[in-house]
Amino acid sequence: MLEIKNLHVELKGKEILEGVNLNLEKGKIHALMGPNGSGKTTLAQVLMGDPKYHVTGGQILLNGKDILALSPDNRAKSGIFLSFQNPIEIEGVKLSTFLRQAYNAINRKKLSLLEFQELLEKRAEELGMPREFLSRYLNKGFSGGEKKKAEILQLLVLNPKIAILDETDSGLDIDSLKIIAKGINSFMDKNKTILLITHYKRILEQVKPDKVSIMINGKIVSHGSDELVNKLEEKGYGWLKEQ
């Protein structure tokens, strides 16, 4: 569904991604791991079209069509979603208002206020979110766990084809992690694709990846199954850096 071919990316003249190749298949959960500074978040941002990064070579193909020229909003309309590692706070914009505007911006069929509210409350209930949570300003005063839950709420409401989840498990306690994992699993089906970026084995015990890839210094250096995750847990990344 989404194919990354020999992708080279610079930021302020420094090369961050050095020829990344990755094939994200329909109906598959693909985990991407690697040490801090390896380029995982850069890849996520570039896939979504962040203009601060300069693509110097390669392609990003969505169903065979190169999307590098598409703006972030058009990539969203094409079915790509990114949950942020550090969601920003927007005072004065209610979470429910933001989500309704986002939903109607990317869907041909617009929902009335009542129709959307029913959809939103149903999805929030799945995540154990109280109704009053939806009236709060977007991420304003949210705890780390609340911000991550709000990101997964967006995922469930917007229902994209491809979900890029950048460390959506970071900073979560056990109960919040279970809720996040439940939301991700309920989103996934045979027509969707997930790229799950994480440092930790614990979320991959609840959201089972079909494939695991390791990124180091801007390159994909290894692919495998969840056995690769166990090896990383045991040995760290040193053995891969030495190869």
Side-chain angles (χ1 to χ4, degrees):
M1 181 178 279
L2 189 67
E3 187 175 4
I4 303 157
K5 288 187 172 183
N6 196 30
L7 189 65
H8 290 258
V9 174
E10 289 183 354
L11 178 62
K12 298 179 180 179
K14 180 182 179 181
E15 189 169 39
I16 307 296
L17 302 183
E18 303 179 6
V20 172
N21 292 284
L22 206 56
N23 187 25
L24 307 178
E25 300 173 64
K26 183 187 292 188
K28 304 291 185 182
I29 297 175
H30 198 130
L32 180 63
M33 305 183 75
N36 288 328
S38 59
K40 304 183 301 299
T41 292
T42 294
L43 177 61
Q45 298 285 350
V46 170
L47 291 177
M48 202 65 233
D50 189 329
K52 74 180 178 183
Y53 295 99
H54 179 48
V55 177
T56 58
Q59 294 177 300
I60 301 173
L61 304 176
L62 177 60
N63 297 321
K65 181 181 178 181
D66 197 330
I67 62 169
L68 280 176
L70 291 184
S71 60
D73 62 311
N74 282 320
R75 295 190 195 197
K77 289 176 182 177
S78 297
I80 302 175
F81 170 89
L82 171 63
S83 77
F84 291 97
Q85 183 177 336
N86 297 300
I88 61 173
E89 298 183 5
I90 304 179
E91 189 166 4
V93 178
K94 291 182 180 179
L95 176 58
S96 58
T97 302
F98 166 78
L99 279 175
R100 184 178 177 227
Q101 290 178 342
Y103 181 95
N104 284 335
I106 64 174
N107 287 280
R108 290 184 180 179
K109 182 182 178 182
K110 313 303 180 186
L111 295 183
S112 69
L113 180 59
L114 180 59
E115 289 172 328
F116 181 78
Q117 196 66 27
E118 289 177 353
L119 170 65
L120 180 59
E121 290 179 4
K122 180 180 178 182
R123 297 294 180 249
E125 186 178 354
E126 292 173 10
L127 294 173
M129 289 180 169
R131 191 173 296 181
E132 55 268 24
F133 185 87
L134 305 175
S135 298
R136 294 172 64 183
Y137 292 150
L138 184 61
N139 294 321
K140 182 66 177 178
F142 285 16
S143 67
E146 287 175 331
K147 287 181 179 180
K148 299 297 184 177
K149 289 177 185 177
E151 293 286 292
I152 298 303
L153 177 62
Q154 292 176 46
L155 173 69
L156 295 179
V157 169
L158 300 179
N159 197 30
K161 297 183 183 74
I162 299 171
I164 304 163
L165 307 179
D166 189 8
E167 295 193 27
T168 192
D169 56 328
S170 63
L172 297 180
D173 59 31
I174 294 174
D175 291 334
S176 294
L177 179 65
K178 288 180 179 179
I179 292 171
I180 293 295
K182 180 182 177 182
I184 295 171
N185 286 327
S186 69
F187 161 79
M188 189 61 188
D189 64 35
K190 64 181 181 180
N191 294 312
K192 297 172 182 173
T193 302
I194 291 177
L195 177 62
L196 179 58
I197 299 171
T198 183
H199 283 292
Y200 306 110
K201 175 183 177 181
R202 58 180 190 161
I203 193 170
L204 301 180
E205 292 175 334
Q206 299 186 51
V207 180
K208 298 293 186 181
D210 298 285
K211 190 172 184 178
V212 179
S213 296
I214 310 300
M215 178 179 279
I216 294 177
N217 295 329
K219 297 179 181 179
I220 303 294
V221 298
S222 184
H223 297 288
S225 64
D226 53 4
E227 292 180 2
L228 182 55
V229 179
N230 294 330
K231 192 170 182 179
L232 287 174
E233 189 82 1
E234 179 184 349
K235 296 186 175 183
Y237 293 103
W239 63 279
L240 285 166
K241 293 177 181 179
E242 294 168 359
Q243 290 184 1

